[in-house]
């Protein structure tokens, strides 16, 4: 896409944000892939909106793009899995294991086996590595710190984490000048 198209998208994003078209803003961010809104991403992670977290991410990277992307998706899906186990929703946990986590088995068979074995425990915190797992809210916050580091280190997000500085209502000003 040309730099003019890119600039227009940013002007439109600014306009939509100023006019409070929140869903449209995030959809355009995702579809254009020009700006990754870390604040929005953080909010969705804190709220556990896993489908939206992955949908938004998919506008910028896929699971198999690079090792950073793979780790980002793995951490999100693992958290989703642990939350299902924590709620004792075994059916949902198995579903997540089969549909979301199985893809990682080809890269680390041993880790996948360990994750699968968590199903056999009454409380997954009995696993030594997960003994310090606290409540859902704190676990999400800890994971988010890791995700932010991975996103910032991921070359696919380079130049996409900072919104360009534009004067307020720049699109409206440009249109009025005509």
């Amino acid at each position: 896409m040309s730099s003019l198209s890119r600039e227009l998208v940013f002007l439109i994003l600014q306009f939509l944000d100023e006019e409070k078209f929140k869903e449209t803003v995030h959809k355009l961010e995702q579809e254009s892939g020009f700006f990754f809104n870390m604040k929005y991403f953080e909010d969705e992670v804190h709220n556990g909106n896993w489908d939206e977290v992955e949908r938004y991410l998919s506008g910028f990277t896929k699971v198999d793009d690079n090792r950073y992307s793979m780790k980002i998706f793995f951490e999100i899906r693992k958290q989703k899995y642990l939350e299902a186990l924590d709620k004792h929703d075994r059916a949902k946990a198995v579903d997540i294991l089969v549909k979301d986590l199985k893809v990682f088995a080809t890269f680390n068979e041993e880790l996948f086996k360990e994750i699968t074995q968590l199903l056999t425990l009454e409380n997954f915190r009995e696993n030594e590595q997960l003994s310090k797992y606290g409540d859902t809210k704190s676990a999400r916050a800890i994971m988010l710190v890791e995700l932010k580091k991975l996103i910032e280190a991921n070359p696919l997000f380079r130049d996409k984490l900072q919104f360009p500085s534009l004067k307020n209502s720049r699109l409206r000003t440009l249109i009025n000048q005509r």
Side-chain angles (χ1 to χ4, degrees), residues 26-43:
H26 303 308
K27 190 67 177 163
L28 182 55
E29 290 165 352
Q30 177 207 340
E31 285 186 2
S32 71
F34 289 149
F35 175 64
F36 185 82
N37 187 328
M38 189 66 84
K39 173 77 176 97
Y40 174 70
F41 180 75
E42 289 174 19
D43 290 345

Side-chain angles (χ1 to χ4, degrees), residues 154-170:
N154 192 331
L156 295 173
F157 288 84
R158 196 165 292 131
D159 303 325
K160 295 179 181 181
L161 298 174
Q162 204 66 41
F163 197 86
S165 61
L166 303 170
K167 290 183 179 147
N168 287 350
S169 304
R170 184 72 183 127

Side-chain angles (χ1 to χ4, degrees), residues 53-64:
V53 166
E54 286 207 31
R55 193 173 12 264
Y56 189 71
L57 262 177
S58 71
F60 303 89
T61 187
K62 306 287 179 269
V63 174
D64 56 359

Side-chain angles (χ1 to χ4, degrees), residues 8-19 24-30 32 34-35 163 171:
L8 282 171
V9 169
F10 281 118
L11 287 172
I12 294 165
L13 281 170
Q14 180 194 39
F15 172 79
L16 292 171
D17 186 57
E18 289 171 351
E19 296 297 315
T24 309
V25 166
H26 303 308
K27 190 67 177 163
L28 182 55
E29 290 165 352
Q30 177 207 340
S32 71
F34 289 149
F35 175 64
F163 197 86
L171 184 59

Side-chain angles (χ1 to χ4, degrees), residues 77-131:
R77 292 172 183 186
K78 182 179 80 173
Q79 181 62 31
K80 190 167 123 177
Y81 176 66
L82 292 176
E83 288 181 20
L85 287 176
D86 207 22
K87 292 177 188 162
H88 301 288
D89 189 342
R90 296 253 189 265
K92 185 173 182 181
V94 169
D95 191 53
I96 294 165
L97 192 64
V98 172
K99 290 182 181 164
D100 298 338
L101 289 166
K102 183 83 172 131
V103 67
F104 301 103
T106 54
F107 304 101
N108 192 333
E109 187 68 40
E110 199 52 45
L111 181 61
F112 184 73
K113 285 178 185 172
E114 286 177 36
I115 288 174
T116 304
Q117 287 175 341
L118 295 177
L119 281 168
T120 64
L121 302 175
E122 185 58 39
N123 182 343
F124 65 82
R125 290 171 187 85
E126 294 169 23
N127 178 298
E128 190 178 328
Q129 292 166 316
L130 294 169
S131 61

